[in-house]
Amino acid sequence: MPRKWPLNAGDLRNALEYGVGQDDAAELDFYMKAACERVDRKTGRDVEPGRHDVNGEVPALLVLAALRTAKLWWQQDKKGPRARPSGEELAPNEGIGGIDLPRTVAGILADFPPRPGFGS
């Protein structure tokens, strides 16, 4: 599993189980970077980039959170709201209208709070 940050199109392609060769690399990269930025903002890494790093690496749980978020956003945009995986209910107070982070991702990120006064 990748530990680099931010993740890229190849990481999301693997999570979606898409084959190489589809002409969607730029779009996949966009979704993956947006999800990484959202994780950074939620955990305070946007103002303190090394926050929560362990031995210079992003924790696996943050990688998982970004992958799950990007995958959900991609599937919903491509297939509509019915594409939401079962059990991935959206957290009611996350983002605009409750459509930002899956509940499981919000739970993961709760263990990685920003410093007081930073993050969202």
Side-chain angles (χ1 to χ4, degrees):
M1 190 50 65
R3 298 296 290 267
K4 61 192 178 307
W5 196 262
L7 303 176
N8 61 37
D11 300 318
L12 182 54
R13 185 182 309 282
N14 289 338
L16 292 167
E17 299 178 3
Y18 279 8
V20 177
Q22 295 180 10
D23 190 24
D24 56 3
E27 193 173 10
L28 287 168
D29 197 48
F30 175 76
Y31 276 78
M32 195 68 260
K33 286 184 179 180
C36 288
E37 287 175 10
R38 184 63 185 101
V39 167
D40 284 346
R41 199 168 67 246
K42 183 75 174 173
T43 61
R45 291 177 51 85
D46 58 334
V47 293
E48 190 179 352
R51 181 138 177 90
H52 305 299
D53 283 3
V54 178
N55 297 323
E57 291 189 345
V58 174
L61 285 172
L62 296 186
V63 171
L64 179 63
L67 284 170
R68 283 183 169 223
T69 300
K71 185 176 177 181
L72 177 68
W73 290 347
W74 176 269
Q75 290 172 334
Q76 285 184 328
D77 282 354
K78 298 302 175 186
K79 299 178 185 175
R82 289 183 296 239
R84 179 171 54 205
S86 61
E88 282 288 301
E89 296 182 42
L90 296 173
N93 295 318
E94 292 295 329
I96 300 168
I99 58 169
D100 191 7
L101 295 174
R103 187 179 308 261
T104 54
V105 170
I108 290 169
L109 297 181
D111 291 337
F112 298 92
R115 291 196 194 281
F118 297 97
S120 62

